[in-house]
């Protein structure tokens, strides 16, 4: 495999307390514990289409951006890291209950230029990354507090509008002449910020008068009770998002009673059925990413009160099934064509 220069986001994750725990247990018991931990550490990586490059004792090294690159690899890496912490929480309790040992994980992330490809000899080859950036990723993991994620400033600058962060200040890194700024991602923001464009700069949009007139006409029809669907098609970078953002701003300024709900298709959700609908309804009912199931149920009940009285029970049942919530008396969520038909009916209404 020929090596190639790439900007890659690297994720290190290891098990904290493994040395002390392994001394207390039989090797077979410890192997069982680690296999379970690796399952929770690896699954989020594949969920967001990264690759596991190496298993190292009690640690995992994963790449986002090599050998397959996506436009949002740093975002995917942070989401995978937060997914690891979320998934390992219940497993930690099970380990403490069954074996009487305490374990945790910590994650470090850095984005930078490396050479990726086959490294080794004719006797042993491995796909890995070489460069200073991967060393800094390892340092992020080594200095992270147990149960947290720590990212470098390079990664933070690429995803800052998408997550809530805690500023951790500077750390000394061996081989670096200056301290490195670090951050702790806490959660995904409910209202995502902008990744494109120059911060603070809003130049005047020109040459889109026809499109603006069509949007205004559709909005006027909506006020008269006439719905519709508009398609805005154009190459990336031509200002499609900007056109919608400006129209949204002007319509909300002119009509204070307007409710605007917006969602986006995400490439890493292609394997999650109804992911687009689920995120849209989250915005409608104002459900946060960390809301418990019963909190979501209560917000659904409040939202469906705006629906016609004869459709409230059906609407509530469909929305609860969308989030995998059981129905009255513990009945299972709706599935299959029945759920699909009712969902499309309610969304159209």
């Amino acid at each position: 495999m020929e090596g190639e220069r790439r900007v890659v986001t690297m994720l290190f994750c290891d098990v904290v307390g493994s040395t002390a725990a392994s001394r207390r247990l039989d090797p077979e018991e410890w192997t069982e514990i680690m296999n379970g931990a690796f399952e929770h550490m690896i699954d989020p990586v594949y969920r967001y289409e990264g690759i596991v490059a190496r298993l190292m004792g009690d640690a995992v090294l994963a790449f986002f951006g090599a050998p397959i690159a996506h436009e949002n690899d740093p975002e995917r890496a942070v989401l995978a890291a937060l997914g690891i912490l979320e998934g390992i929480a219940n497993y930690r309790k099970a380990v403490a209950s069954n074996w009487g040992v305490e374990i945790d994980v910590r994650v470090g992330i850095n984005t930078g230029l490396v050479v990726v490809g086959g490294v080794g000899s004719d006797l042993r080859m491995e796909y890995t990354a070489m460069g200073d950036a991967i060393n800094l990723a390892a340092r992020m993991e080594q200095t992270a507090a147990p149960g947290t994620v720590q990212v470098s400033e390079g990664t933070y600058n690429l995803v800052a509008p998408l997550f809530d962060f805690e500023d951790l200040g500077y750390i000394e890194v061996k081989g670096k002449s200056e301290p490195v700024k670090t951050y702790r991602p806490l959660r995904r923001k409910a209202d995502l910020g902008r990744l494109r464009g120059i911060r603070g700069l809003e130049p005047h949009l020109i040459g889109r008068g026809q499109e603006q007139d069509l949007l205004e006409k559709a909005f006027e029809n909506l006020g008269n009770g006439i719905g519709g669907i508009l398609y805005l098609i154009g190459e990336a970078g031509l200002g499609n998002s900007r056109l919608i953002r400006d129209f949204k701003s002007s319509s909300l300024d002119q009509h204070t009673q307007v409710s605007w709900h917006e969602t986006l298709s995400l490439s890493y959700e292609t394997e999650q059925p109804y992911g687009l609908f689920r995120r849209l309804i989250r915005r409608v009912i104002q459900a946060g990413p960390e809301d418990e199931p019963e909190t979501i149920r209560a917000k659904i009940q409040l939202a469906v009160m705006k629906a016609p009285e004869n459709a409230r029970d059906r609407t509530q049942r469909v929305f609860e099934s969308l989030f995998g919530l059981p129905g009255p008396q513990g009945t299972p969520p709706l599935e299959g064509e029945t759920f699909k038909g009712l969902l499309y009916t309610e969304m159209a209404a």
Side-chain angles (χ1 to χ4, degrees), residues 328-349:
Q329 290 78 48
T331 54
L334 300 173
E335 295 181 346
E337 291 299 320
T338 301
F339 170 67
K340 179 179 178 181
L342 288 174
L343 174 64
Y344 283 17
T345 300
E346 295 306 315
M347 293 299 291

Side-chain angles (χ1 to χ4, degrees), residues 237-254:
L238 292 181
N240 304 314
S241 300
R242 170 66 188 279
L243 178 63
I244 297 299
R245 187 170 70 250
D246 285 359
F247 173 69
K248 173 185 176 180
S249 178
S250 64
S251 63
L252 293 179
D253 288 342
Q254 297 175 25

